[in-house]
């Protein structure tokens, strides 16, 4: 699992390097995830080693998101002008996957048969 975590960190590092070199206005972690996705789509040889590390991180995702929530609560005075936009983003960001995932699964099942 350690090697999987190192691979994930390596792709985050690659995202950071790419952002610094190009000046693209995106978070380095997002660019790193896109690079990882491209590598996995191209059947990279390390794909089986990443799965346990990613699974362990996903299992504890609430611990990773908790500091964000605390930060928003403590710095609410900075965000209160955007409360409506934040609320809409949170609600749509929750409802969209709840609707989209069953649709994608239904389409996958229909294609497999």
């Amino acid at each position: 699992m350690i090697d999987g975590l190192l691979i994930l960190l390596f792709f985050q590092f690659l995202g950071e390097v790419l952002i610094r070199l190009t000046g693209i206005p995106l978070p380095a972690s997002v660019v790193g995830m896109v690079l990882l996705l491209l590598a996995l789509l191209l059947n990279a040889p390390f794909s089986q080693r990443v799965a346990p590390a990613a699974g362990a991180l996903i299992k504890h995702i609430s611990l990773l998101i908790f500091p964000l929530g605390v930060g928003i609560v403590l710095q609410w005075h900075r965000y209160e002008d955007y409360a409506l936009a934040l609320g809409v983003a949170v609600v749509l960001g929750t409802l969209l996957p709840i609707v989209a995932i069953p649709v994608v699964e239904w389409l996958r099942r229909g294609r497999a048969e």
Side-chain angles (χ1 to χ4, degrees):
M1 186 168 90
I2 297 294
D3 56 344
L5 287 172
L6 289 173
I7 292 167
L8 293 174
L9 287 173
F10 175 72
F11 275 94
Q12 184 171 359
F13 172 74
L14 285 180
E16 190 70 44
V17 168
L18 191 63
I19 292 299
R20 301 285 175 155
L21 291 177
T22 62
I24 299 171
L26 290 173
S29 56
V30 172
V31 173
M33 281 193 297
V34 170
L35 292 173
L36 177 62
L37 174 65
L38 291 174
L40 293 174
L41 288 174
L42 295 172
N43 293 326
F46 56 78
S47 61
Q48 295 303 319
R49 295 189 314 200
V50 172
L57 289 173
I58 289 173
K59 190 187 318 181
H60 300 292
I61 193 80
S62 61
L63 294 175
L64 300 172
I65 293 175
F66 185 74
L68 174 66
V70 170
I72 289 174
V73 169
L74 292 178
Q75 299 292 322
W76 181 248
H77 62 279
R78 293 184 179 194
Y79 301 110
E80 61 189 344
D81 292 340
Y82 308 103
L84 179 62
L86 286 170
V88 169
V90 167
V91 169
L92 288 180
T94 302
L95 292 179
L96 188 62
I98 289 173
V99 171
I101 290 172
V103 170
V104 169
E105 287 297 319
W106 177 73
L107 290 172
R108 280 184 47 203
R109 270 188 265 124
R111 197 185 260 181
E113 292 174 355

